[in-house]
Amino acid sequence: MSKFLVLLLTLLFVSGSTAGAVEKITVSSMVELLNSIGSDRIIFLTPGVYKLSDALGFTSRNAKNIYERRMYITGVHNLKIIATGPGKTELLSPYSDSDVLLIKDCSDLELQNFSIGHVQQPKGCEGDALRMEASEKIKFDRMDIYGCGENGLTLRYVDQLEVKDSYIHHCTYNLLDLSEVTHTKFVGTKFVHNGNFSVLNTSDKIQGLEFDNCQISVDPTRKVHTYLKGDPADYAAKYSLAAQNYDQNWWVNQQVTFKDCTFENVNPLEVTRLKKYGTTFVNCKLELRDL
């Protein structure tokens, strides 16, 4: 074997080993978490509360920072953030006018086993718990996403998101606010809705959105905003599961499937209406009772 061929094979081997390397980092504070955000790494969170207020004004590498009083993960690929240990781990924001976490232009990102939300405010929040834009191949596993944010999870131009064994609940407006979302699945996830609008608000293209073995509960005593068209009580009866959509022929570009799901306090007439517009229900149960 020539020296040139040996050198070439050595370079290829080293290059392949480097490309597959994943850095593992353990953090225990908000600043350490921000400074560790990047591609090709696994971040382990020790149990505790990670407060955005502890890092206000902090700027880390590649603009992964607290800006506008929210946490950013942008332009990152192949990243996992995993909470470890038996204790509870929280990403918590006191800033009711901002999102807690924004994920943008990312792929192959995974979040596991921690909560994301705002400090509870009696009048609700203007920011979302988690907002994601222009991202693909994302996984949430055993996550707790809650209010008092306007929406629990807001998605814009997102493809291939999987949310598994998670809990999304108690937000000011909707639990989910989705636009231009494709090939996205919620599995074994619980939704509890007591907000002013609906569990699910969709607009524009929604293709391949699936809910599998999920539990969806609506508080029958929730308050609905009075500035909506029509009577608030009528809106609550007709649009608890899916928000009213005023766009003409909105259902043409929307494919939503519920399979093996349980609905509590969702009016059967609403299910009938959604079926008429192409929403699929397979082996689902309706239960009417107080939460």
Side-chain angles (χ1 to χ4, degrees):
M1 186 180 293
S2 68
K3 291 183 179 180
F4 174 76
L5 182 57
V6 171
L7 177 61
L8 178 61
L9 291 174
T10 301
L11 289 174
L12 288 174
F13 176 78
V14 171
S15 175
S17 300
T18 302
V22 175
E23 185 179 4
K24 296 181 179 181
I25 306 168
T26 298
V27 302
S28 59
S29 72
M30 191 70 226
V31 171
E32 289 178 349
L33 170 59
L34 292 174
N35 205 37
S36 300
I37 298 297
S39 298
D40 300 314
R41 61 191 61 185
I42 301 174
I43 300 173
F44 296 101
L45 305 176
T46 56
V49 180
Y50 292 75
K51 298 179 181 179
L52 268 65
S53 54
D54 290 343
L56 186 62
F58 173 84
T59 302
S60 65
R61 294 166 296 178
N62 301 320
K64 309 300 183 294
N65 56 18
I66 293 292
Y67 176 68
E68 297 174 348
R69 303 194 295 186
R70 60 181 172 181
M71 176 179 173
Y72 282 65
I73 302 178
T74 59
V76 169
H77 311 283
N78 191 26
L79 168 68
K80 292 183 179 182
I81 302 178
I82 303 172
T84 61
K88 185 177 181 180
T89 301
E90 303 176 67
L91 179 62
L92 185 65
S93 172
Y95 308 118
S96 61
D97 57 344
S98 300
D99 306 328
V100 181
L101 174 62
L102 170 66
I103 297 172
K104 186 175 182 179
D105 298 321
C106 292
S107 65
D108 296 293
L109 187 147
E110 186 168 346
L111 306 181
Q112 290 186 27
N113 198 34
F114 61 95
S115 68
I116 299 175
H118 292 89
V119 174
Q120 296 299 299
Q121 303 287 342
K123 295 184 179 180
C125 295
E126 297 177 14
D128 299 327
L130 197 160
R131 183 181 181 91
M132 188 186 313
E133 302 174 0
S135 296
E136 63 178 2
K137 299 179 181 177
I138 311 294
K139 292 183 179 180
F140 298 157
D141 186 10
R142 293 164 291 143
M143 295 295 292
D144 180 357
I145 301 171
Y146 62 91
C148 58
E150 287 190 349
N151 305 300
L153 183 59
T154 294
L155 306 179
R156 298 289 185 267
Y157 296 94
V158 171
D159 181 49
Q160 301 176 65
L161 166 67
E162 180 180 88
V163 181
K164 184 177 180 182
D165 298 331
S166 295
Y167 184 25
I168 304 176
H169 57 105
H170 296 98
C171 295
T172 302
Y173 291 159
N174 310 286
L175 297 183
L176 304 174
D177 187 1
L178 315 183
S179 177
E180 299 290 346
V181 172
T182 54
H183 307 106
T184 287
K185 179 180 287 189
F186 294 84
V187 181
T189 293
K190 182 177 181 180
F191 300 85
V192 174
H193 176 56
N194 69 341
N196 300 135
F197 294 146
S198 308
V199 173
L200 173 65
N201 181 44
T202 59
S203 60
D204 299 314
K205 181 180 178 182
I206 305 293
Q207 300 286 308
L209 174 62
E210 300 180 14
F211 296 83
D212 190 349
N213 195 31
C214 293
Q215 180 181 348
I216 301 171
S217 300
V218 175
D219 183 351
T221 66
R222 68 193 180 96
K223 295 181 179 180
V224 176
H225 273 306
T226 56
Y227 62 76
L228 291 168
K229 294 181 180 179
D231 180 67
D234 184 61
Y235 185 95
K238 293 180 178 178
Y239 304 102
S240 290
L241 179 58
Q244 186 173 6
N245 199 312
Y246 297 103
D247 294 336
Q248 189 174 12
N249 298 329
W250 60 268
W251 60 87
V252 173
N253 289 317
Q254 300 206 13
Q255 298 175 355
V256 183
T257 299
F258 295 92
K259 181 181 178 183
D260 298 319
C261 293
T262 300
F263 301 95
E264 296 182 0
N265 296 313
V266 173
N267 196 311
L269 294 177
E270 179 175 4
V271 174
T272 300
R273 178 182 60 83
L274 289 171
K275 286 181 178 179
K276 176 183 176 182
Y277 292 117
T279 300
T280 302
F281 294 84
V282 180
N283 194 32
C284 295
K285 296 188 299 182
L286 288 175
E287 300 176 354
L288 299 178
R289 62 189 182 197
D290 292 338
L291 294 178

